[in-house]
Amino acid sequence: MRGVVCHHTAGRDDMHVIRDGRPGLDGPLSQFWLRRDGTIFVVAAGLCWHNAPSTSANHTNSASIGIEAENDGRQPWPGVQLHSFRKLCAELTKEFDLPVSRVVGHKEVQRGKPDPHGVNMDTFRVQVARLMTEVTEPPKPTLGGVPEFRRTLRLVSPLIEGQDVRTWQTAARRFVPGLVADGCYGPASKKACEQVQRTVGAPVNGKVSAETWLLTWVWESGAKKEKKA
Ligand SMILES: [Zn+2]
Protein backbone atom coordinates (compact mmCIF):
# COMPACT_ATOMS: atom_id res chain seq x y z
CA MET A 1 0.00 0.00 0.00
CA ARG A 2 1.68 3.17 -1.18
CA GLY A 3 -1.16 5.54 -2.02
CA VAL A 4 -4.81 6.57 -1.81
CA VAL A 5 -6.79 7.71 -4.86
CA CYS A 6 -9.96 9.82 -4.46
CA HIS A 7 -12.74 9.53 -7.02
CA HIS A 8 -16.32 10.54 -7.67
CA THR A 9 -18.60 7.78 -8.94
CA ALA A 10 -20.27 9.90 -11.67
CA GLY A 11 -23.61 8.40 -10.56
CA ARG A 12 -26.11 8.24 -7.74
CA ASP A 13 -26.91 5.45 -5.30
CA ASP A 14 -24.35 3.34 -7.15
CA MET A 15 -22.53 1.16 -4.62
CA HIS A 16 -23.57 -1.89 -6.67
CA VAL A 17 -21.61 -0.53 -9.65
CA ILE A 18 -18.49 -0.21 -7.49
CA ARG A 19 -18.97 -3.76 -6.26
CA ASP A 20 -20.02 -5.46 -9.51
CA GLY A 21 -18.39 -3.29 -12.17
CA ARG A 22 -19.90 -1.99 -15.40
CA PRO A 23 -19.90 -3.19 -19.02
CA GLY A 24 -16.29 -3.57 -20.09
CA LEU A 25 -14.87 -3.37 -16.57
CA ASP A 26 -15.50 -6.05 -13.95
CA GLY A 27 -15.74 -5.13 -10.28
CA PRO A 28 -14.75 -4.43 -7.70
CA LEU A 29 -13.91 -0.92 -8.87
CA SER A 30 -12.64 0.32 -5.49
CA GLN A 31 -12.24 -0.72 -1.88
CA PHE A 32 -14.48 2.02 -0.48
CA TRP A 33 -17.76 3.66 -1.44
CA LEU A 34 -18.61 6.91 0.32
CA ARG A 35 -22.29 7.82 0.43
CA ARG A 36 -23.48 11.44 0.24
CA ASP A 37 -24.50 11.41 3.90
CA GLY A 38 -20.89 10.65 4.84
CA THR A 39 -21.34 6.93 5.56
CA ILE A 40 -18.29 4.88 4.57
CA PHE A 41 -18.85 1.41 3.05
CA VAL A 42 -16.09 -1.17 2.74
CA VAL A 43 -16.91 -2.72 -0.64
CA ALA A 44 -13.92 -4.98 -1.26
CA ALA A 45 -10.49 -6.06 -0.05
CA GLY A 46 -7.48 -6.65 -2.28
CA LEU A 47 -7.02 -5.58 -5.87
CA CYS A 48 -9.60 -3.17 -7.31
CA TRP A 49 -9.85 -1.53 -10.73
CA HIS A 50 -9.95 2.17 -10.06
CA ASN A 51 -6.86 3.66 -11.72
CA ALA A 52 -5.25 2.34 -14.88
CA PRO A 53 -3.12 3.46 -16.55
CA SER A 54 -1.64 5.42 -13.66
CA THR A 55 0.88 8.20 -14.19
CA SER A 56 2.19 7.57 -10.65
CA ALA A 57 3.91 4.35 -9.58
CA ASN A 58 2.52 4.78 -6.08
CA HIS A 59 -1.08 4.89 -7.29
CA THR A 60 -1.47 1.89 -9.58
CA ASN A 61 -4.30 -0.53 -8.84
CA SER A 62 -1.92 -2.94 -7.14
CA ALA A 63 -0.25 -0.25 -5.02
CA SER A 64 -3.18 1.90 -3.90
CA ILE A 65 -6.58 2.04 -2.30
CA GLY A 66 -9.46 3.68 -4.14
CA ILE A 67 -12.29 5.66 -2.56
CA GLU A 68 -15.31 6.19 -4.80
CA ALA A 69 -17.48 9.01 -3.44
CA GLU A 70 -21.10 9.19 -4.55
CA ASN A 71 -21.42 12.26 -6.76
CA ASP A 72 -22.78 12.53 -10.29
CA GLY A 73 -19.92 14.80 -11.36
CA ARG A 74 -21.89 18.06 -11.17
CA GLN A 75 -23.48 18.08 -7.71
CA PRO A 76 -22.08 20.22 -4.93
CA TRP A 77 -20.46 18.19 -2.15
CA PRO A 78 -22.25 18.00 1.22
CA GLY A 79 -19.86 19.10 3.96
CA VAL A 80 -20.56 15.91 5.89
CA GLN A 81 -19.43 13.83 2.91
CA LEU A 82 -16.24 15.83 2.39
CA HIS A 83 -15.49 15.51 6.08
CA SER A 84 -15.81 11.71 5.90
CA PHE A 85 -13.69 11.73 2.74
CA ARG A 86 -10.86 13.53 4.58
CA LYS A 87 -11.26 11.45 7.74
CA LEU A 88 -11.02 8.20 5.78
CA CYS A 89 -7.90 9.45 3.97
CA ALA A 90 -6.38 10.46 7.30
CA GLU A 91 -7.08 7.05 8.83
CA LEU A 92 -5.61 5.23 5.82
CA THR A 93 -2.44 7.31 5.74
CA LYS A 94 -1.97 6.72 9.46
CA GLU A 95 -2.66 2.99 9.12
CA PHE A 96 -0.17 2.52 6.27
CA ASP A 97 2.30 5.11 7.55
CA LEU A 98 2.17 7.25 4.42
CA PRO A 99 2.90 10.96 3.98
CA VAL A 100 -0.17 13.04 3.16
CA SER A 101 1.26 13.71 -0.31
CA ARG A 102 0.30 10.12 -1.19
CA VAL A 103 -3.38 11.10 -1.03
CA VAL A 104 -4.26 12.17 -4.56
CA GLY A 105 -7.26 12.84 -6.76
CA HIS A 106 -7.83 10.60 -9.75
CA LYS A 107 -7.42 13.72 -11.92
CA GLU A 108 -3.84 14.01 -10.66
CA VAL A 109 -2.72 10.50 -11.60
CA GLN A 110 -4.58 9.76 -14.81
CA ARG A 111 -4.77 12.07 -17.81
CA GLY A 112 -8.22 13.26 -18.79
CA LYS A 113 -9.99 12.27 -15.55
CA PRO A 114 -12.07 15.02 -13.92
CA ASP A 115 -12.64 13.48 -10.50
CA PRO A 116 -13.20 14.33 -7.81
CA HIS A 117 -14.79 17.37 -9.45
CA GLY A 118 -14.54 20.76 -7.80
CA VAL A 119 -12.22 19.56 -5.04
CA ASN A 120 -8.93 21.43 -4.76
CA MET A 121 -6.62 18.56 -3.82
CA ASP A 122 -3.94 20.83 -2.32
CA THR A 123 -6.50 22.23 0.12
CA PHE A 124 -7.87 18.74 0.68
CA ARG A 125 -4.42 17.41 1.66
CA VAL A 126 -3.87 20.26 4.12
CA GLN A 127 -7.17 19.34 5.76
CA VAL A 128 -6.27 15.63 5.80
CA ALA A 129 -2.91 16.43 7.38
CA ARG A 130 -4.71 18.35 10.12
CA LEU A 131 -6.94 15.35 10.83
CA MET A 132 -3.93 12.99 10.90
CA THR A 133 -2.58 14.79 13.93
CA GLU A 134 -5.89 14.69 15.82
CA VAL A 135 -6.38 12.08 18.51
CA THR A 136 -8.74 9.41 17.21
CA GLU A 137 -11.97 9.31 19.19
CA PRO A 138 -14.19 6.24 19.48
CA PRO A 139 -17.12 6.43 17.03
CA LYS A 140 -20.21 8.16 18.35
CA PRO A 141 -23.54 6.31 18.15
CA THR A 142 -25.31 9.30 16.62
CA LEU A 143 -24.21 12.42 14.79
CA GLY A 144 -23.93 15.23 17.30
CA GLY A 145 -26.97 17.46 17.52
CA VAL A 146 -29.14 15.75 14.90
CA PRO A 147 -32.63 15.04 16.26
CA GLU A 148 -34.05 11.60 15.55
CA PHE A 149 -35.82 11.25 12.20
CA ARG A 150 -39.28 9.68 12.63
CA ARG A 151 -41.31 10.28 9.47
CA THR A 152 -41.07 11.88 6.05
CA LEU A 153 -42.49 15.42 6.06
CA ARG A 154 -44.38 16.32 2.88
CA LEU A 155 -47.25 18.44 1.64
CA VAL A 156 -50.45 16.39 2.08
CA SER A 157 -54.05 17.06 3.05
CA PRO A 158 -54.65 17.36 5.92
CA LEU A 159 -51.29 19.05 6.61
CA ILE A 160 -48.69 17.22 8.66
CA GLU A 161 -48.24 18.95 12.01
CA GLY A 162 -46.05 18.38 15.01
CA GLN A 163 -42.96 19.18 16.99
CA ASP A 164 -40.77 17.43 14.40
CA VAL A 165 -42.07 19.86 11.74
CA ARG A 166 -41.23 22.80 14.00
CA THR A 167 -37.77 21.36 14.72
CA TRP A 168 -37.02 20.99 11.03
CA GLN A 169 -38.42 24.42 10.15
CA THR A 170 -36.23 26.04 12.79
CA ALA A 171 -33.13 24.39 11.29
CA ALA A 172 -34.23 25.19 7.72
CA ARG A 173 -34.27 28.91 8.57
CA ARG A 174 -30.50 28.80 8.20
CA PHE A 175 -31.18 28.34 4.49
CA VAL A 176 -34.52 30.22 4.23
CA PRO A 177 -34.47 33.01 6.85
CA GLY A 178 -38.10 34.01 6.22
CA LEU A 179 -39.58 30.60 7.02
CA VAL A 180 -42.02 30.65 9.95
CA ALA A 181 -41.60 27.74 12.38
CA ASP A 182 -45.32 27.15 12.91
CA GLY A 183 -45.09 23.36 13.21
CA CYS A 184 -47.28 22.88 10.14
CA TYR A 185 -45.88 21.48 6.85
CA GLY A 186 -47.63 23.75 4.32
CA PRO A 187 -46.64 25.14 0.91
CA ALA A 188 -44.03 27.48 2.44
CA SER A 189 -42.32 24.52 4.09
CA LYS A 190 -42.34 22.57 0.84
CA LYS A 191 -40.77 25.53 -0.96
CA ALA A 192 -38.18 25.90 1.81
CA CYS A 193 -37.43 22.19 1.61
CA GLU A 194 -36.74 22.49 -2.11
CA GLN A 195 -34.43 25.40 -1.39
CA VAL A 196 -32.54 23.34 1.21
CA GLN A 197 -32.29 20.40 -1.20
CA ARG A 198 -30.95 22.59 -3.98
CA THR A 199 -28.36 24.07 -1.64
CA VAL A 200 -27.12 20.77 -0.23
CA GLY A 201 -27.25 18.89 -3.53
CA ALA A 202 -30.02 16.44 -2.58
CA PRO A 203 -32.71 15.37 -5.07
CA VAL A 204 -35.25 18.24 -5.18
CA ASN A 205 -38.71 16.89 -4.35
CA GLY A 206 -39.98 19.05 -1.47
CA LYS A 207 -40.10 16.09 0.92
CA VAL A 208 -38.07 16.00 4.12
CA SER A 209 -36.74 12.45 3.82
CA ALA A 210 -34.11 10.95 6.12
CA GLU A 211 -31.38 12.28 3.80
CA THR A 212 -32.78 15.81 3.68
CA TRP A 213 -33.41 15.72 7.43
CA LEU A 214 -29.76 14.84 8.05
CA LEU A 215 -28.29 17.25 5.51
CA THR A 216 -30.35 20.15 6.91
CA TRP A 217 -28.33 19.85 10.09
CA VAL A 218 -24.91 18.80 8.96
CA TRP A 219 -24.37 20.60 5.65
CA GLU A 220 -21.46 23.03 5.90
CA SER A 221 -21.08 26.06 3.69
CA GLY A 222 -17.44 24.94 3.32
CA ALA A 223 -18.55 22.80 0.37
CA LYS A 224 -19.26 25.92 -1.63
CA LYS A 225 -15.98 27.59 -0.74
CA GLU A 226 -14.09 24.48 -1.73
CA LYS A 227 -15.78 24.42 -5.12
CA LYS A 228 -14.62 27.93 -5.89
CA ALA A 229 -11.06 27.23 -4.72
ZN1 LIG B 1 -12.01 8.06 -10.86
Side-chain angles (χ1 to χ4, degrees), residues 22-94:
R22 48 183 162 77
L25 186 58
D26 288 343
L29 301 186
S30 70
Q31 286 83 358
F32 292 98
W33 182 69
L34 174 58
R35 199 163 67 185
R36 283 181 71 71
D37 67 357
T39 309
I40 297 161
F41 292 79
V42 180
V43 177
L47 187 59
C48 294
W49 310 101
H50 64 94
N51 182 35
S54 177
T55 57
S56 155
N58 291 321
H59 297 89
T60 59
N61 286 326
S62 53
S64 67
I65 281 180
I67 305 168
E68 286 279 2
E70 182 190 11
N71 185 299
D72 69 6
R74 294 180 302 276
Q75 296 168 302
W77 294 88
V80 66
Q81 188 186 21
L82 283 176
H83 185 65
S84 280
F85 216 165
R86 297 177 201 121
K87 285 281 272 189
L88 178 54
C89 289
E91 289 304 317
L92 290 171
T93 47
K94 280 196 287 185

Side-chain angles (χ1 to χ4, degrees), residues 6-8 50 68 106 113 115:
C6 301
H7 304 260
H8 67 225
H50 64 94
E68 286 279 2
H106 197 189
K113 291 288 179 183
D115 61 318

Side-chain angles (χ1 to χ4, degrees), residues 109-124:
V109 290
Q110 192 179 141
R111 280 179 198 98
K113 291 288 179 183
D115 61 318
H117 90 93
V119 178
N120 180 317
M121 291 308 297
D122 290 326
T123 309
F124 189 89

Side-chain angles (χ1 to χ4, degrees), residues 19-225:
R19 186 190 61 207
D20 304 331
R22 48 183 162 77
L25 186 58
D26 288 343
L29 301 186
S30 70
Q31 286 83 358
F32 292 98
W33 182 69
L34 174 58
R35 199 163 67 185
R36 283 181 71 71
D37 67 357
T39 309
I40 297 161
F41 292 79
V42 180
V43 177
L47 187 59
C48 294
W49 310 101
H50 64 94
N51 182 35
S54 177
T55 57
S56 155
N58 291 321
H59 297 89
T60 59
N61 286 326
S62 53
S64 67
I65 281 180
I67 305 168
E68 286 279 2
E70 182 190 11
N71 185 299
D72 69 6
R74 294 180 302 276
Q75 296 168 302
W77 294 88
V80 66
Q81 188 186 21
L82 283 176
H83 185 65
S84 280
F85 216 165
R86 297 177 201 121
K87 285 281 272 189
L88 178 54
C89 289
E91 289 304 317
L92 290 171
T93 47
K94 280 196 287 185
E95 178 66 24
F96 293 99
D97 200 19
L98 302 173
V100 73
S101 58
R102 294 289 179 84
V103 175
V104 300
H106 197 189
K107 56 192 174 187
E108 296 177 296
V109 290
Q110 192 179 141
R111 280 179 198 98
K113 291 288 179 183
D115 61 318
H117 90 93
V119 178
N120 180 317
M121 291 308 297
D122 290 326
T123 309
F124 189 89
R125 276 184 286 270
V126 170
Q127 291 159 330
V128 171
R130 207 170 289 150
L131 291 168
M132 285 167 70
T133 61
E134 274 181 15
V135 178
T136 309
E137 289 170 28
K140 290 178 189 140
T142 55
L143 280 158
V146 181
E148 193 186 346
F149 175 78
R150 290 178 188 277
R151 57 174 175 172
T152 297
L153 307 179
R154 58 191 209 281
L155 186 58
V156 284
S157 178
L159 297 178
I160 290 177
E161 293 181 50
Q163 185 55 45
D164 54 347
V165 179
R166 197 185 310 276
T167 303
W168 180 80
Q169 286 170 329
T170 303
R173 282 161 68 163
R174 192 151 63 92
F175 301 84
V176 187
L179 182 65
V180 179
D182 59 0
C184 184
Y185 201 84
S189 291
K190 178 172 185 280
K191 219 172 146 217
C193 176
E194 290 166 353
Q195 176 65 43
V196 171
Q197 289 171 328
R198 265 191 295 274
T199 308
V200 302
V204 179
N205 59 15
K207 296 175 191 172
V208 182
S209 61
E211 184 192 15
T212 298
W213 180 268
L214 178 68
L215 289 173
T216 305
W217 271 272
V218 299
W219 189 82
E220 298 165 13
S221 55
K224 272 190 171 169
K225 283 182 213 133

